[in-house]
Amino acid sequence: MLFRNPEIKNELIIESVIVALFSALCFCLNIIAGVAALVMGVAVIIVHIAFHKKRYRKLAVLCDDIDRVLGGDDSVSFSSCDEGEISILKSEIHKMTKRIREQNTALKAEREYLKDVLADISHQLKTPLTSMSLILTVLRTKELSDRDRITNLRKLSDILSRTEWLIETLLKMSSFDAGAVELHKEDIPCRSLISTAVSSLDIMAEIRGVEIKTETEADKIFCDKNWTVEALRNIIKNCIEHTENSGTIEIKAKESPVAVTINISDNGSGISDKDLPHIFERFYKADNVLHQGYGIGLAFSRQIITAQGGIIKAKGVEPHGSQFTLIFYKTTV
């Protein structure tokens, strides 16, 4: 293997020629000098060959270690405190393998996360699909009265609407996860932002008998209008769903030299101490829910707010109710 290397072969040829010429010159002067020159030249070549063999042995060990790493052996270490080209190479390979191991760990975590998400999505879709299948079975019954048929059609329409919202939200969240969403932040009038979010929920609030009050002291918010409206809408929708009839939701916006803060509070069922640490987790459902939700609205809102450099917090309000705080930092202080 050593003599297959063209660089080493060329070195040995050059060294042999030099030794031969130098020895011949010495032989012309003196036989003893010629023999001495020849012996020393051969000794130098032998030492050179031994040095290269040692390097090749180190490289062979290094190649074996790399093969072990590629085979999944995490016990291999390339760290070295020695000097020299091989040690420098080992140090660079050590950095590379460390990065590969970190990437493998992240990839395994991502796979587990994806597996859990797919399982949750499958579970979330299974329930409405089963309900729709049962309703369709009932609708096929010939003896069904017109009144019951209309009632079942309304249930089917409601389930379809909620399933459509679920799928659309999941697709949007996936876009954020994949980094495919481009946020276009600009100064948006705070009053317009809040009214846009509230207006889309007026009918829902009216049906549930919930009053929405707004109070805006802030001028503008530096954010992406469409996505921020989506986040606000999900939070307000959550408050409506957790507030009983004749309840109230208050939305207050305040401004400081550093940020704009929006507080959304309700007098509904509130948030327990057990649920509070998990309230923004994807697919998490509190025990005291008043409706059959999916547990992704608040998670998506947090994803939108944090993607813009903002902060979202939640807390329970005594004696009952909850409050969500959204903080949007300004571009300049």
Side-chain angles (χ1 to χ4, degrees):
M1 182 177 177
L2 178 65
F3 298 104
R4 294 177 186 173
N5 190 323
E7 293 181 358
I8 294 178
K9 287 172 66 176
N10 292 334
E11 287 181 7
L12 291 175
I13 291 172
I14 294 172
E15 288 174 356
S16 299
V17 171
I18 292 174
V19 169
L21 292 175
F22 184 70
S23 299
L25 180 62
C26 290
F27 271 114
C28 292
L29 299 175
N30 188 297
I31 295 177
I32 296 176
V35 172
L38 182 62
V39 170
M40 290 180 62
V42 171
V44 169
I45 293 175
I46 292 173
V47 170
H48 197 183
I49 292 174
F51 172 75
H52 280 302
K53 279 188 175 182
K54 185 177 180 180
R55 289 185 64 192
Y56 264 82
R57 281 196 296 268
K58 290 183 178 180
L59 287 173
V61 172
L62 194 58
C63 290
D64 290 339
D65 288 342
I66 293 174
D67 288 336
R68 288 169 57 194
V69 170
L70 294 175
D73 189 350
D74 292 333
S75 64
V76 180
S77 176
F78 295 96
S79 58
S80 175
C81 298
D82 298 332
E83 297 291 339
E85 296 177 353
I86 302 296
S87 297
I88 294 173
L89 179 61
K90 288 178 68 176
S91 177
E92 294 302 316
I93 293 176
H94 175 70
K95 295 176 185 177
M96 181 188 69
T97 52
K98 186 177 180 181
R99 178 66 63 84
I100 290 174
R101 285 167 180 165
E102 290 175 352
Q103 291 176 346
N104 286 338
T105 302
L107 183 60
K108 289 179 182 178
E110 187 176 346
R111 285 176 179 172
E112 288 298 320
Y113 171 75
L114 181 59
K115 179 182 176 182
D116 294 339
V117 169
L118 289 175
D120 287 330
I121 292 173
S122 176
H123 175 73
Q124 296 291 342
L125 289 175
K126 184 177 180 180
T127 302
L129 288 175
T130 302
S131 300
M132 286 188 283
S133 178
L134 292 173
I135 292 174
L136 288 172
T137 301
V138 173
L139 289 173
R140 292 192 186 99
T141 306
K142 295 181 180 179
E143 295 79 10
L144 192 67
S145 64
D146 291 341
R147 182 177 180 180
D148 290 338
R149 193 178 300 277
I150 291 173
T151 300
N152 281 282
L153 284 171
R154 286 176 178 171
K155 290 181 180 178
L156 182 62
S157 177
D158 179 60
I159 294 173
L160 283 171
S161 298
R162 290 193 294 113
T163 305
E164 181 183 11
W165 177 84
L166 170 64
I167 294 172
E168 287 180 355
T169 305
L170 287 173
L171 289 173
K172 291 175 182 177
M173 295 179 78
S174 298
S175 298
F176 269 90
D177 290 336
V181 175
E182 292 186 9
L183 297 171
H184 303 284
K185 298 173 67 174
E186 57 184 330
D187 287 324
I188 306 296
C190 187
R191 190 178 301 276
S192 172
L193 192 74
I194 295 174
S195 63
T196 302
V198 171
S199 62
S200 61
L201 299 168
D202 282 342
I203 297 177
M204 180 182 180
E206 184 178 350
I207 292 174
R208 295 188 60 88
V210 176
E211 182 183 5
I212 301 177
K213 298 179 180 179
T214 61
E215 182 182 332
T216 307
E217 298 178 3
D219 183 20
K220 294 181 179 180
I221 298 179
F222 186 68
C223 64
D224 183 293
K225 180 179 180 180
N226 294 330
W227 287 113
T228 306
V229 166
E230 180 87 20
L232 288 171
R233 186 186 294 121
N234 286 333
I235 296 171
I236 298 169
K237 178 175 176 287
N238 181 83
C239 292
I240 294 173
E241 290 172 341
H242 288 77
T243 303
E244 298 179 352
N245 290 340
S246 302
T248 303
I249 296 174
E250 295 184 350
I251 305 173
K252 297 181 179 180
K254 296 182 179 181
E255 185 173 2
S256 72
V258 177
V260 173
T261 302
I262 299 177
N263 290 315
I264 304 173
S265 58
D266 63 59
N267 55 1
S269 56
I271 307 172
S272 66
D273 293 337
K274 184 188 76 172
D275 295 324
L276 190 58
H278 310 284
I279 200 71
F280 293 110
E281 291 180 7
R282 196 173 300 189
F283 299 114
Y284 182 80
K285 296 181 183 179
D287 295 332
N288 62 341
V289 291
L290 301 175
H291 69 294
Q292 293 181 348
Y294 295 107
I296 60 173
L298 294 180
F300 188 33
S301 294
R302 183 183 67 170
Q303 195 172 26
I304 293 172
I305 301 302
T306 54
Q308 300 181 77
I311 296 175
I312 181 170
K313 299 182 290 185
K315 68 177 182 177
V317 178
E318 297 295 339
H320 51 78
S322 58
Q323 178 176 295
F324 295 89
T325 301
L326 286 68
I327 303 174
F328 296 88
Y329 292 101
K330 297 182 178 180
T331 52
T332 57
V333 178

